[in-house]
Amino acid sequence: MSEKTKTFEENLADLETIVSRLEAGDVPLEEAIAEFQKGMKLSQDLQSRLEKAEKTLVTIVNKDGSKEEQV
């Protein structure tokens, strides 16, 4: 694993780069497969981070300081 965990934005930029390269169609097959796999992993990580952020955002702090989750 890398020394520093990339931010959501950095991973999104990496995914966008991969998509652009694959859409251009000038990537050799073996490299395209490797890039696709890397893109899928990035996509899964991004989705996981979004779900975690959503759970955080739906938690509301009441006036008395207790937390209430919205469904």
Side-chain angles (χ1 to χ4, degrees):
M1 191 139 205
S2 66
E3 294 176 20
K4 174 189 145 215
T5 302
K6 289 188 173 185
T7 66
F8 179 88
E9 292 78 8
E10 290 169 331
N11 280 342
L12 183 58
D14 288 348
L15 181 58
E16 289 171 344
T17 300
I18 290 169
V19 169
S20 294
R21 290 187 68 215
L22 293 176
E23 286 180 340
D26 59 355
V27 180
L29 179 61
E30 292 80 10
E31 188 177 338
I33 292 170
E35 288 291 296
F36 180 80
Q37 290 173 329
K38 182 179 175 185
M40 289 301 297
K41 288 178 184 176
L42 285 170
S43 177
Q44 291 168 349
D45 177 66
L46 292 168
Q47 182 65 34
S48 174
R49 289 185 188 199
L50 284 174
E51 288 170 1
K52 184 177 178 183
E54 182 180 16
K55 286 179 184 177
T56 300
L57 291 174
V58 298
T59 300
I60 299 170
V61 178
N62 293 324
K63 291 181 183 180
D64 64 359
S66 65
K67 294 181 180 179
E68 177 182 316
E69 291 218 354
Q70 300 292 316
V71 180

